[in-house]
Amino acid sequence: MTKRTGADAVASGGDGGTVVSVGDGWESDDGGGPCRPEDGGGKGVVAAFGQTLKTLRLREGLDRAELGSRIGYSAATVASFEQGRRIPSPRTIERADEALGAGGLLCVWKEEVERAQYPVFFQGMAALEKEAIELLAYDTLVVKGLLQTEEYMRALLGMRRPVLDPETIEQRVAARLARQDIFDRWPAPLLSFVMDESVLRRPYGGKAVLRGQLEQLFLFGQKPNVEIQVMPLDCEESAGVDGPFTVVTRKDGRKFAYVEVQGTSALQTDPEQTALAAARYGIIRSQALTSRESLTLIEGLLGSL
């Protein structure tokens, strides 16, 4: 078994082994706005981008307030970008490139800067989501991060122990919301989510938060490329007894399986193991309610709140 960071493994196409990363759990705590880099390597990338931004701004003879007015941010936020304390969104980088007449010098940083907003252990999975033509996810404790409302995210993050500081919470919310661009991408990837019924009944954050989350699930479930299914509480058999996992198929046909539990994450690249994970997911889907039955159940739960 070879160990390296998820981002490196995905970039190289994997080596037939298992990629294991250990860190602060993402999904289980878990257009975004600016956020802070999560790791040392990411900080280096963001610092280099910030220095480039400052150099180009000074070349144009603009102060921070003037640049901020052109790209829609305050002078203080521009300072945070330049000092590597905040991460601009890809769209912000594009606006800054245009405002400074940089001719693409800033845009070449977009991919690296965007990756820096994620913890090292999750960068591989984040990259896969952007390339996925199919994503299959089974969850047993919380709604999948890609499906969460902002209020639901904040409720879960606020429950973390040890307690997360406010800046970390803001950063993770922004990154999570940015990942939901997958629903608007074209060509549209095939997205399938199965979750235990208990997930839909847990009022994390209160009934108002749960209502908003159920409404979002109902809306997502009506998208033509999205299937949402529920594993009912009275189901006597489940192939998902080993817990939640995600299977992603890349454009080149390669499959990857991602598992996360109690601060430990693993990105599985072995073809045999990923094929078995996909097969297991197929059995789980067959045991769950159909998409139509699941949406009816969600609608009923909404009516009871």
Side-chain angles (χ1 to χ4, degrees), residues 49-202:
F49 168 81
Q51 186 59 51
T52 303
L53 176 65
K54 180 179 180 179
T55 300
L56 291 172
R57 174 178 63 79
L58 294 175
R59 186 188 70 177
E60 290 298 303
L62 300 176
D63 61 27
R64 287 168 175 164
E66 290 171 326
L67 175 58
S69 67
R70 296 187 182 187
I71 63 175
Y73 287 103
S74 67
T77 300
V78 172
S80 294
F81 291 155
E82 292 182 349
Q83 294 163 9
R85 294 184 288 108
R86 298 280 178 177
I87 300 178
S89 69
R91 180 62 187 130
T92 297
I93 293 176
E94 291 172 359
R95 289 200 298 265
D97 191 278
E98 182 178 354
L100 295 172
L105 289 176
L106 290 178
C107 286
V108 297
W109 288 91
K110 280 197 303 182
E111 185 175 333
E112 289 297 322
V113 169
E114 184 179 13
R115 183 185 300 161
Q117 69 185 307
Y118 302 112
V120 172
F121 73 88
F122 191 74
Q123 289 178 0
M125 185 59 182
L128 285 171
E129 286 180 351
K130 288 183 171 297
E131 298 183 23
I133 60 172
E134 180 184 62
L135 184 145
L136 316 172
Y138 175 60
D139 287 279
T140 59
L141 297 175
V142 299
V143 173
K144 185 71 175 175
L146 288 173
L147 297 168
Q148 291 174 8
T149 64
E150 182 174 343
E151 294 74 19
Y152 190 91
M153 295 176 197
R154 293 184 184 280
L156 294 183
L157 289 164
M159 298 175 196
R160 291 295 306 278
R161 297 297 183 272
V163 176
L164 298 176
D165 65 84
E167 286 190 326
T168 296
I169 290 177
E170 292 304 314
Q171 179 262 313
R172 295 193 180 183
V173 167
R176 178 71 55 81
L177 291 172
R179 288 170 53 210
Q180 293 182 351
D181 287 348
I182 193 172
F183 292 103
D184 301 316
R185 203 170 71 210
W186 190 261
L190 301 176
L191 307 173
S192 173
F193 305 91
V194 179
M195 63 195 77
D196 279 3
E197 183 180 342
S198 60
V199 171
L200 305 179
R201 295 182 178 275
R202 294 184 183 276

